[in-house]
Amino acid sequence: MAIEATVNGKPVTLTAEPDTPLLWVIREELGMTGTKFGCGIAACGACSVHIDGEVVRSCSVPVSDIAGKAITTIEGLAKPDGTLHALQAAWIAHQVPQCGYCQSGQLMAAAALLAASPSPSDDQIDAAMTNICRCGTYPRIRAAIHAAAGQA
């Protein structure tokens, strides 16, 4: 079954089985490995992407659900000219990543938060950032989100 969608601003035709998780289509069919597999049950957030601007856990979304929709992965967060998203620059400036495994999902969740709430409070950040970071970089994540909000 062919599924038409837009990924990072480019039209794509996907040929995976309809029940294949979007995560595996992104990684295996499209070759974009920035979106990570963590738990497979939508609990950890390492696989977070945007579908039509909303953050979702791609391990639990069947590819059939994205027909006609716009998907943004971590590879599409920066501008087409390579300019980093304000969050990516803040992540670097605040030295957020430790092991780095969860960070693409963290960035995608933070980007959705800032799109919905350009100047979030600590409580809003805590409520929106449900991704798991085993390294415990949550204070640096919060600081980077505040810094990026100040740049917007």
Side-chain angles (χ1 to χ4, degrees), residues 37-52:
F37 173 78
C39 66
I41 58 171
C44 75
C47 66
S48 296
V49 299
H50 297 173
I51 298 178
D52 288 342

Side-chain angles (χ1 to χ4, degrees), residues 2-59:
I3 298 166
E4 305 284 334
T6 303
V7 177
N8 298 332
K10 297 176 183 166
V12 296
T13 301
L14 306 168
T15 59
E17 292 296 318
D19 62 343
T20 303
L22 175 58
L23 168 65
W24 298 117
V25 173
I26 291 168
R27 290 183 60 81
E28 302 295 327
E29 188 170 335
L30 298 177
M32 297 179 195
T33 57
T35 304
K36 304 299 185 199
F37 173 78
C39 66
I41 58 171
C44 75
C47 66
S48 296
V49 299
H50 297 173
I51 298 178
D52 288 342
E54 298 292 322
V55 68
V56 299
R57 310 271 168 97
S58 65
C59 70

